[in-house]
Amino acid sequence: MLVVLALATVACGAAATATPAPAPDPIEAPAAMADSTEAPAAMAEPTAVPEAIAKPAEEMMAKPEVGEMAFADYWNPPTDFYGPVVYGGTLRVNYEDPLEHANDWGAATGASSRYRGSTGAVLVMENPYDAGAPVIPDLAQNWDVHEGLDGVTFHFREGTAWHNGEPFVCEDARFSFETMITGNGLTASYMKSRLAHVVLEEMACIDDMTLKMNFNGPTGIPLLNISNRRGIVFNKAWFQAGGEDAMFQDVTMGIGPYKWAEGQSVGVDEQHFEKNPDYFIPELPYVDELVIFGILDESAQQATQLAHQTDWHWVRNWGQYQAYVDHDQIITVIRATRGNFRLWINARNEPFDNVKVRQAIIMSIDRDAGIRILQDGHGASGGFGYAPGSPWELPQEQLCSVPGWCISEDMEATRAEAKAILDAEGFDFERRYVFTVESDAQVTARATFLQEQFRLLGIETDFDSVETIAYREQEQSGTWGDFKPGNSTVVADDPNAGVAAFLRCDSTGNHWTPNGPCDDSIVAVLDQAQVALDVDKRQVLAHQIELAAMKQYSSFPVYWEQEAAAFWPEVRGYAHFPAPFGSYRKFMHMWIDPDRMNDTGNAGQTTGVPGGS
Ligand SMILES: *[C@@H]1O[C@H](CO)[C@@H](O)[C@H](O)[C@H]1NC(C)=O
Ligand SMILES: *[C@@H]1O[C@H](CO)[C@@H](O)[C@H](O)[C@H]1NC(C)=O
Ligand SMILES: *[C@@H]1O[C@H](CO)[C@@H](O)[C@H](O)[C@H]1NC(C)=O
């Protein structure tokens, strides 16, 4: 029997774009992390930082408030769009890889997170409905960020039990984090580098319900890495008995919203998970059963979804997209991810050391044409470090205040303007310039588009095609030519957790080092943001950094990649996460409303679903 519950407190006023209820707990940055991590970029001349921003770091540090968070305060499904929450039913997820193994700790894959995301729990988690919202409780009911921002103490929920009924105690969490930090017993600890700031020797259980972590310095984002979906707490005795084999093969010992259905083995491409009736968040999950299908063949994925043998599909390639968009019943949501295609201009090389020259080149690139030609129309234009649609995105007005960054209404006119700038700067149009390109068909295709754009401006380039290893070396040493294209991903919406990889002088993703020039004024603002706990303050600083980086015209996202999800109309509650492949993997935020199963009129990509654009 399906019980329809209109959760009044939850449903009330939960608009698609609703900002989270003011959280009594420490405010945290959005946390979606990309699967792949790359990012580089560039800075040239120092940028002036307004006085108001360049305050001493201490002023940015505020003692966080401590408090409880009630479920209804942090869990706000977009019921304005989807209608009231419904309990019961089965959600069938169409996943694109074989479900080979479940070792999310030591050999992380997309498949391993399909096993562990729904059956496990982290200390604090992302808000699945709003990537810009503060993190919300998971195993920890609440937490105190230490004065000085150099640690955090987690308070666990009373009465939390493992799937076999054993009580959860702090030592399970402490030992899990110790194992992630040391990597002892793991093939390759996914979390190790992400927990480098945690002082292992000082991590301690104050009692069975309280875990203290100290950091090796203050940070305004004390919970960001810890909320990583792979920071999953495991049962100590289980790991001690079964070792990493248990992590690969045994999904019985979980603590999360779903239990692995009995009689299954890992490696089968259809996995069943049942609602955990003793889940420590009693209001969740919504559905009784979650089934994940691992379907490698991309036409089989689509056929299965179109035949309604699965309910939800993360669109794997743009060839699949149109069939979903055209479908009268299937809802298709699209939005920008944090992955982008960038052009770098080497400001170490004359005449590109002249910012006006760089500006003219950036201005002249027809980004709409790039999206049309290279992405089949599925791309988005935006600023330097935050994906379009991100809550951290620079407001349009500010974006357009820097010439060339907002889309031109008249590319011909803009190009003429750019040409005039180059003429005024005495640009040498007779010379041929070096375009360093990784020898990869896709990269070359993308670079060819840019080469054409340069040609429209009268600039001729020659490709210097370089094998991957040598290419990476040139990137690191700054010895690449005048231009270079490349993929990059900003892993988080945060100045330090994300954009800093492009900008900090000591970052390996900053391709300006080791030969400089380094922008110390931007680094100074990054340092301010590093200890700004308040998310609003950090966002002000983030926008400052964004504008300064844009004005350099050295690293330019030609377009931001997009991703889409397609689901049958009875699937409700889904919201997009702004990270490549970053849909929320616990699958407990979605519900099935059988009354909506025959809904029609869903052709076209949606604009109303949270995160849709
Ligand atoms: C978070 O993880 C990154 C690596 O992904 C690491 O560079 C950074 O120091 C960590 N620390 C904090 C406070 O987020
Ligand atoms: C660049 O990104 C695209 C889209 O995410 C991916 O398909 C491609 O393999 C990437 N290319 C390289 C060279 O990393
Ligand atoms: C949807 O259509 C099917 C087939 O016509 C029917 O059996 C079912 O009752 C309908 N469901 C709803 C909620 O209208």
Side-chain angles (χ1 to χ4, degrees):
M1 194 183 72
L2 298 166
V3 184
V4 180
L5 293 181
L7 297 178
T9 49
V10 172
C12 173
T17 52
T19 39
D25 276 320
I27 294 175
E28 184 51 277
M33 289 293 191
D35 273 325
S36 61
T37 310
E38 305 146 54
M43 300 314 312
E45 297 115 74
T47 306
V49 176
E51 303 263 311
I53 297 295
K55 285 189 285 195
E58 303 77 59
E59 283 178 39
M60 307 301 292
M61 293 159 69
K63 174 74 181 102
E65 297 290 313
V66 184
E68 300 281 325
M69 252 177 155
F71 180 73
D73 289 339
Y74 66 79
W75 193 267
N76 303 114
T79 47
D80 282 0
F81 182 83
Y82 285 115
V85 157
V86 176
Y87 281 86
T90 299
L91 172 67
R92 298 164 302 176
V93 170
N94 188 318
Y95 174 62
E96 71 269 9
D97 275 324
L99 298 170
E100 278 177 330
H101 73 75
N103 184 0
D104 219 26
W105 299 273
T109 65
S112 70
S113 77
R114 264 65 191 179
Y115 283 101
R116 299 295 177 184
S118 57
T119 56
V122 293
L123 298 183
V124 290
M125 64 179 162
E126 303 165 320
N127 183 323
Y129 299 117
D130 181 357
V135 294
I136 62 177
D138 202 9
L139 276 172
Q141 171 71 57
N142 58 77
W143 48 90
D144 311 307
V145 174
H146 302 167
E147 203 144 3
L149 307 180
D150 55 358
V152 59
T153 298
F154 297 96
H155 306 283
F156 298 112
R157 298 167 191 261
E158 298 289 338
T160 299
W162 294 96
H163 287 168
N164 68 354
E166 275 176 28
F168 159 82
V169 288
C170 175
E171 178 58 15
D172 289 316
R174 196 207 58 80
F175 179 79
S176 297
F177 275 86
E178 179 185 296
T179 305
M180 293 182 229
I181 291 167
T182 61
N184 289 344
L186 303 180
T187 303
S189 172
Y190 176 85
M191 289 297 292
K192 187 171 183 165
S193 64
R194 293 167 174 85
L195 297 172
H197 60 303
V198 178
V199 182
L200 178 60
E201 305 72 40
E202 294 172 14
M203 186 167 60
C205 288
I206 293 174
D207 57 43
D208 272 355
M209 289 291 110
T210 316
L211 175 68
K212 188 182 78 166
M213 276 185 196
N214 288 340
F215 305 148
N216 55 20
T219 172
I221 43 171
L223 299 171
L224 185 67
N225 285 7
I226 291 165
S227 73
N228 189 293
R229 68 189 185 282
R230 287 190 165 120
I232 293 173
V233 170
F234 56 82
N235 181 290
K236 180 179 179 180
W238 168 81
F239 180 66
Q240 286 183 328
E244 204 181 20
D245 281 353
M247 290 179 163
F248 277 105
Q249 300 298 337
D250 178 15
V251 195
T252 56
M253 186 59 99
I255 201 166
Y258 300 95
K259 291 172 131 173
W260 197 38
E262 279 178 26
Q264 299 189 101
S265 49
V266 166
V268 177
D269 290 335
E270 177 177 338
Q271 293 288 332
H272 291 248
F273 304 90
E274 290 162 356
K275 177 176 183 156
N276 173 8
D278 303 315
Y279 184 43
F280 53 76
I281 304 176
E283 296 88 348
L284 294 170
Y286 297 122
V287 300
D288 289 339
E289 190 189 24
L290 169 70
V291 189
I292 299 184
F293 292 90
I295 307 173
L296 183 61
D297 182 88
E298 293 183 4
S299 31
Q301 281 163 21
Q302 180 151 50
T304 308
Q305 178 72 3
L306 289 172
H308 206 166
Q309 288 160 359
T310 52
D311 306 307
W312 184 88
H313 183 207
W314 177 79
V315 179
R316 183 75 175 136
N317 64 53
W318 293 114
Q320 296 172 335
Y321 183 69
Q322 202 57 40
Y324 293 145
V325 171
D326 292 343
H327 202 286
D328 196 32
Q329 283 201 269
I330 290 175
I331 300 174
T332 312
V333 199
I334 188 168
R335 67 151 296 151
T337 74
R338 295 186 186 130
N340 55 65
F341 171 53
R342 269 177 201 267
L343 167 69
W344 279 270
I345 304 178
N346 200 339
R348 270 168 297 228
N349 298 355
E350 178 276 322
F352 307 103
D353 54 347
N354 177 346
V355 68
K356 285 196 156 336
V357 167
R358 299 198 300 274
Q359 175 188 331
I361 291 165
I362 296 298
M363 280 172 73
S364 74
I365 293 169
D366 185 345
R367 288 181 284 171
D368 278 348
I371 291 167
R372 216 165 44 240
I373 292 165
L374 298 172
Q375 290 293 102
D376 236 353
H378 309 298
S381 301
F384 178 88
Y386 300 95
S390 156
W392 288 66
E393 187 184 15
L394 200 59
Q396 187 69 14
E397 196 185 286
Q398 285 188 57
L399 183 85
C400 295
S401 74
V402 186
W405 280 84
C406 79
I407 293 290
S408 165
E409 303 275 307
D410 181 351
M411 263 327 290
E412 288 298 312
T414 304
R415 203 170 273 127
E417 205 187 316
K419 182 93 165 51
I421 293 174
L422 291 179
D423 286 335
E425 298 301 315
F427 187 85
D428 183 355
F429 288 97
E430 299 305 312
R431 241 172 90 180
R432 298 185 74 87
Y433 297 91
V434 179
F435 199 154
T436 305
V437 179
E438 190 179 352
S439 54
D440 167 287
Q442 189 196 45
V443 174
T444 306
R446 292 176 173 193
T448 302
F449 166 78
L450 291 173
Q451 190 178 45
E452 287 298 322
Q453 293 291 305
F454 298 156
R455 192 165 288 148
L456 292 173
L457 194 59
I459 300 178
E460 291 295 335
T461 56
D462 293 315
F463 280 173
D464 179 21
S465 183
V466 181
E467 294 298 332
T468 301
I469 293 172
Y471 186 80
R472 298 279 169 261
E473 278 167 12
Q474 292 191 10
E475 281 186 321
Q476 292 302 314
S477 58
T479 53
W480 45 281
D482 302 311
F483 302 102
K484 110 183 149 63
N487 279 2
S488 67
T489 298
V490 184
V491 294
D493 277 358
D494 180 82
N496 285 285
V499 187
F502 296 72
L503 302 175
R504 279 203 180 270
C505 303
D506 58 357
S507 166
T508 55
N510 179 347
H511 296 164
W512 291 85
T513 54
N515 302 329
C518 178
D519 192 322
D520 293 325
S521 62
I522 286 187
V523 172
V525 189
L526 283 167
D527 288 343
Q528 303 275 314
Q530 179 79 46
V531 291
L533 187 66
D534 182 274
V535 78
D536 293 335
K537 274 184 196 152
R538 213 157 62 240
Q539 221 174 73
V540 168
L541 298 172
H543 288 171
Q544 200 56 49
I545 294 163
E546 184 79 349
L547 284 166
M550 285 161 53
K551 286 175 187 161
Q552 298 296 334
Y553 297 99
S554 293
S555 165
F556 179 70
V558 180
Y559 54 76
W560 293 79
E561 311 258 355
Q562 291 186 327
E563 66 175 0
F567 46 97
W568 285 86
E570 67 272 25
V571 176
R572 318 303 286 176
Y574 174 70
H576 249 349
F577 251 69
F581 330 113
S583 57
Y584 183 74
R585 263 161 278 202
K586 290 177 100 66
F587 296 111
M588 68 170 170
H589 59 318
M590 291 191 259
W591 65 90
I592 296 285
D593 184 347
D595 287 349
R596 309 300 294 267
M597 71 178 287
N598 295 336
D599 281 10
T600 55
N602 290 329
Q605 70 193 33
T606 49
T607 53
V609 180
S613 61

